[in-house]
Amino acid sequence: MGHLVARHRRSPPDRSGRGRFAAVGLVTVALCVLSSLVVAADLPREDPIVLSGDLHDRTQIVFGWRYHPGDDPAWADPEFDDSGWEVRTSLLPVDEAPPGGWEKVGWFRRNLKLADGMPTTAIAIRVEHYGASEVYLDGRLVITNGTVSADPTIERQMYPNNFDGVALERGRTHVLAVRFSNARGNLHFRDNLGFWVNIRSVVSAAAAYHRFDRLVMLRSMGFGGAFAALAVLHLLLFAFHPASREHLFFSIFAATVAASLALMTAWDLETDMLARLWIFRWYITTRVAMVVGALVLLHAMFRRRPAWMTWAVVIAGAAYVGWVWSWDALRSRTLGDLVFLVAFLEMARVSVMAVLRRERDAWIVAGAFVPLALVSATGFVCSLLGWSINLGILPLASLALVGLAFSVFISRQAARTARELEDRLEEVERLSVRAVEQERRAIHEETERRLLEAESERRAEELEAARRLQLAMLPHEAPEIPGFTFEYRMVTATEVGGDYVDVRLGDGGRALVAVGDATSHGLQAGMVVAVAKSLFLSVDPQESPTAVLHRVGAGLQTMRERYASMAMVVIAVDAHHLQVASAAMPPLLVLRHATGSVDEILLPGVPLGTMADASYALRDVTVASGDAILVISDGAPEAIAPSGEHFGYDRVVSYLEGCDGRSAEAIVDGLLDTVTSFAGSSSPHDDVTVVAMVVD
């Protein structure tokens, strides 16, 4: 008797996404009834099974097996009397307990012979299962698939993908015995624990192998390669034009389709069930990623927010992936088929609704998703009804049609945009030539006048907006700092400089006083002040002045703007103890009541936002009752008299020396009056900010 004369690999029945909607179910049931795709399997029940003809067509042995649970090598003996065994199907459906129960291992026996007149014939046998088996012909072991055992730690489960050759003698009744185990409980197609035996001629088995080989090549290298190429192409298109997010989403969708097809091929070629389980987990993961990618792409193309149904599909898909990764053996896939069918139906719904809204080119996508949903629903419903159905390459073809529709839709949108832009450019060119020929001089003069007016109005509005924004950043009234009288004034310039004053009050009488001056001008300065204020409001009043400077400076640094910088001094007031840190601000002046002298506290430092790792010094200052602290922006010392002379810091110090005993309000108002008198009729070119604090 010959052995192992032919090998044939084939994939399990295709099981794309399936669903539950009643209306679609009725339609697809009708399709199944009317379709010529429904094939009645050859399930011989006679005993013995008589093989006749050229055996080109497959003979599938499922029913009529004599079954006994347990394990006894004597049951392989062709002379053993199995007449007391129950006759059962070898599929072992999970919802139908076999007689005597299922002890995870059992024996099945059947008789078969060649028809009268047939010569001794070599046949090819294939046992399909997700467990392990030993096949005996007339008591002799002819096929071994894995390691049979009721102990899952010993059993090696396989999915045989080969035909094994044996010879049947003319005129003899042969006994076919199968020792089978499925200790882990892997569920086969239609949720069965058992197996079935396929018999055909060796030539037919070789032809089936070649057909399957062509199918694998078409699926992995044809369809899979096409989707991989589309993924790379659209990823490059997105890289060249990042604003077109549809290219990125389609690239993700196409990549997941290519990955799922590659995993499907790996599933078909792998025989070890533990490896197949690992492949199945990743296959389901990529399928769910494909569904999510397609839904995201659909909503991006039609500029629509996802409905609750879309979110439900995404959540259900993620939950199914998590459930599959928790499996220790293959389980029922009906729920997963339902999830995928609902997903395909949701894609069809989104695309059909776009057609009803008369979205441009939506019919292209709808025309691809509707066939995909119908093919998936047909397979799902027929599977639920227990009908064998051969959809061939329809699932792959419908999926390829979706990918082609996506690509065509995106390409047409891009081409239409390019044509519209080209038409507009041509129209602008024609209008420009005509205008230049007819009214070149008049248009030029009118344009110049209007541009000057618009620029003047724009600058006035910008400066006024910046000035209002700058003033809005300031406290609405002088804050009450325990132990101090606090006053401030600000005179804004025609060209806004962006001065800033703020106070944060903390626990225990502590306060943080910040005085800043943006280095830029106009509306930009107002924006810098707004950012600085928001950053200052986020600090804890208990933080040290240097920490505050670093916080504000880091925030300005993130703006990545050349002119987004600010000079600032921060004073932490705690009773009669001050902590001062400065970033390029004029010196802090302290008028000592006891001596009448003025201390200048000048701390080095660069403006905030100019250097990432800048350091700032911290100075402790002790004040007594009657002392006055003066903080100014550079607008006061840089005030210019009509003669061109600057007011200078010395005049500020001299003025403060004569302020002993004055209130904070008098000090502020007096300095502003002095600076204004010095400048005369000249408009200030920068903001003048004066802050005074007098110790109670």
Side-chain angles (χ1 to χ4, degrees), residues 58 131 150 199 233 273 290-291 312 410 420 508 519 577 609 628 654 662:
R58 177 186 64 178
I199 296 177
L233 173 62
M273 287 307 303
M290 176 193 72
V291 166
I410 296 173
E420 291 176 354
T519 57
H577 178 253
S654 298
R662 293 188 185 181

Side-chain angles (χ1 to χ4, degrees), residues 102-382:
W102 170 245
E103 301 176 1
K104 300 182 180 179
V105 63
W107 283 74
F108 299 79
R109 291 167 57 98
R110 284 226 62 176
N111 299 323
L112 69 158
K113 68 176 184 179
L114 297 174
D116 294 340
M118 289 185 65
T120 297
T121 304
I123 63 170
I125 298 179
R126 181 186 180 203
V127 184
E128 289 191 62
H129 56 62
Y130 283 176
S133 64
E134 293 177 353
V135 180
Y136 295 84
L137 184 66
D138 299 328
R140 186 171 66 87
L141 178 65
V142 293
I143 302 174
T144 300
N145 295 312
T147 303
V148 180
S149 175
D151 186 349
T153 61
I154 298 176
E155 180 189 42
R156 179 172 174 247
Q157 297 182 322
M158 293 181 61
Y159 177 73
N161 58 8
N162 61 284
F163 283 97
D164 293 271
V166 298
L168 299 183
E169 299 179 9
R170 180 179 60 181
R172 177 179 177 182
T173 299
H174 298 272
V175 177
L176 186 68
V178 179
R179 178 181 176 229
F180 174 73
S181 68
N182 189 351
R184 289 183 178 271
N186 284 310
L187 295 183
H188 208 297
F189 178 53
R190 297 179 189 161
D191 298 344
N192 296 312
L193 292 165
F195 65 93
W196 61 76
V197 174
N198 297 321
I199 296 177
R200 65 200 317 166
S201 70
V202 174
V203 174
S204 176
Y209 167 77
H210 289 298
R211 287 195 300 271
F212 174 73
D213 186 53
R214 289 193 297 269
L215 176 62
V216 170
M217 293 288 290
L218 175 64
R219 184 176 60 198
S220 60
M221 299 184 65
F223 289 98
F227 274 103
L230 286 174
V232 173
L233 173 62
H234 285 269
L235 184 61
L236 291 174
L237 291 174
F238 171 74
F240 296 144
H241 189 206
S244 300
R245 296 184 302 167
E246 292 86 352
H247 289 298
L248 175 62
F249 297 147
F250 179 75
S251 177
I252 295 173
F253 167 75
T256 55
V257 173
S260 66
L261 293 177
L263 288 168
M264 188 184 299
T265 300
W267 163 273
D268 289 338
L269 300 180
E270 181 58 55
T271 60
D272 184 82
M273 287 307 303
L274 290 178
R276 283 171 71 89
L277 175 60
W278 184 88
I279 293 171
F280 182 76
R281 290 168 177 164
W282 281 109
Y283 171 70
I284 293 298
T285 302
T286 56
R287 287 260 296 176
V288 171
M290 176 193 72
V291 166
V292 175
L295 287 171
V296 171
L297 178 57
L298 277 172
H299 288 85
M301 289 192 307
F302 299 130
R303 304 294 193 272
R304 291 282 171 173
R305 290 181 176 273
W308 68 267
M309 292 175 288
T310 300
W311 287 112
V313 167
V314 173
I315 294 172
Y320 182 59
V321 169
W323 183 49
V324 168
W325 277 92
S326 69
W327 291 358
D328 58 356
L330 286 175
R331 302 304 182 201
S332 174
R333 280 160 279 177
T334 302
L335 179 61
D337 295 338
L338 178 62
V339 170
F340 289 121
L341 176 56
V342 172
F344 293 144
L345 291 174
E346 171 62 8
M347 297 175 196
R349 184 195 69 82
V350 173
S351 57
V352 170
M353 290 301 296
V355 173
L356 296 178
R357 291 192 305 269
R358 298 185 178 180
E359 298 275 1
R360 182 177 291 180
D361 293 336
W363 62 270
I364 297 175
V365 179
F369 270 115
V370 170
L372 176 63
L374 289 178
V375 169
S376 301
T378 300
F380 179 73
V381 174
C382 291

Side-chain angles (χ1 to χ4, degrees), residues 538-683:
S538 67
V539 304
D540 187 343
Q542 305 299 324
E543 289 188 43
S544 71
T546 53
V548 174
L549 291 180
H550 283 294
R551 179 84 61 90
V552 177
L556 294 177
Q557 189 80 23
T558 60
M559 295 177 66
R560 301 180 182 274
E561 174 56 45
R562 177 181 177 185
Y563 298 105
S565 58
M566 170 178 277
M568 179 178 285
V569 60
V570 179
I571 307 169
V573 181
D574 193 355
H576 287 183
H577 178 253
L578 308 180
Q579 285 186 316
V580 183
S582 177
M585 281 291 286
L588 182 76
L589 302 179
V590 180
L591 172 62
R592 300 295 183 180
H593 176 65
T595 62
S597 61
V598 175
D599 294 340
E600 292 187 34
I601 301 173
L602 178 62
L603 298 176
V606 297
L608 302 178
T610 56
M611 293 181 61
D613 298 321
S615 61
Y616 303 99
L618 183 67
R619 177 76 60 84
D620 290 323
V621 179
T622 301
V623 294
S625 179
D627 289 354
I629 299 97
L630 183 65
V631 183
I632 61 173
S633 65
D634 58 7
E638 293 179 1
I640 303 175
S643 62
E645 181 183 9
H646 285 81
F647 186 81
Y649 289 95
D650 292 339
R651 285 190 173 89
V652 177
V653 174
S654 298
Y655 165 78
L656 185 59
E657 288 175 344
C659 292
D660 187 30
R662 293 188 185 181
S663 66
E665 183 179 8
I667 294 174
V668 169
D669 291 338
L671 181 56
L672 286 178
D673 290 342
T674 303
V675 173
T676 303
S677 176
F678 176 81
S681 60
S682 300
S683 299

Side-chain angles (χ1 to χ4, degrees), residues 434-449:
R434 188 181 301 117
V436 168
E437 292 174 349
Q438 294 177 354
E439 301 179 7
R440 180 176 56 185
R441 184 180 302 276
I443 290 177
H444 176 75
E445 294 175 352
E446 181 67 12
T447 301
E448 287 292 322
R449 184 184 64 80

Side-chain angles (χ1 to χ4, degrees), residues 333-518:
R333 280 160 279 177
T334 302
L335 179 61
D337 295 338
L338 178 62
V339 170
F340 289 121
L341 176 56
V342 172
F344 293 144
L345 291 174
E346 171 62 8
M347 297 175 196
R349 184 195 69 82
V350 173
S351 57
V352 170
M353 290 301 296
V355 173
L356 296 178
R357 291 192 305 269
R358 298 185 178 180
E359 298 275 1
R360 182 177 291 180
D361 293 336
W363 62 270
I364 297 175
V365 179
F369 270 115
V370 170
L372 176 63
L374 289 178
V375 169
S376 301
T378 300
F380 179 73
V381 174
C382 291
S383 175
L384 287 181
L385 295 176
W387 297 345
S388 277
I389 182 169
N390 180 16
L391 293 174
I393 65 169
L394 279 179
L396 281 177
S398 57
L399 191 60
L401 182 62
V402 169
L404 180 62
F406 273 145
S407 186
V408 170
F409 179 90
I410 296 173
S411 300
R412 282 176 62 88
Q413 293 291 89
R416 182 177 291 107
T417 302
R419 286 196 301 270
E420 291 176 354
L421 179 60
E422 183 178 353
D423 292 342
R424 289 181 179 273
L425 289 176
E426 291 178 355
E427 182 181 359
V428 169
E429 184 177 0
R430 289 194 300 270
L431 291 175
S432 298
V433 170
R434 188 181 301 117
V436 168
E437 292 174 349
Q438 294 177 354
E439 301 179 7
R440 180 176 56 185
R441 184 180 302 276
I443 290 177
H444 176 75
E445 294 175 352
E446 181 67 12
T447 301
E448 287 292 322
R449 184 184 64 80
R450 291 186 178 183
L451 287 175
L452 290 175
E453 291 178 355
E455 179 64 17
S456 178
E457 292 176 0
R458 185 195 65 81
R459 288 188 59 84
E461 291 174 358
E462 178 182 283
L463 293 176
E464 181 59 28
R467 188 163 22 252
R468 290 196 303 268
L469 179 62
Q470 179 185 11
L471 295 176
M473 298 297 104
L474 305 177
H476 296 296
E477 57 185 15
E480 296 180 3
I481 302 176
F484 290 81
T485 302
F486 180 93
E487 286 291 343
Y488 81 95
R489 299 285 187 276
M490 179 183 295
V491 178
T492 57
T494 302
E495 178 71 16
V496 179
D499 283 5
Y500 167 62
V501 177
D502 214 340
V503 177
R504 293 292 309 280
L505 299 178
D507 297 330
R510 179 181 172 86
L512 282 179
V513 179
V515 181
D517 183 5

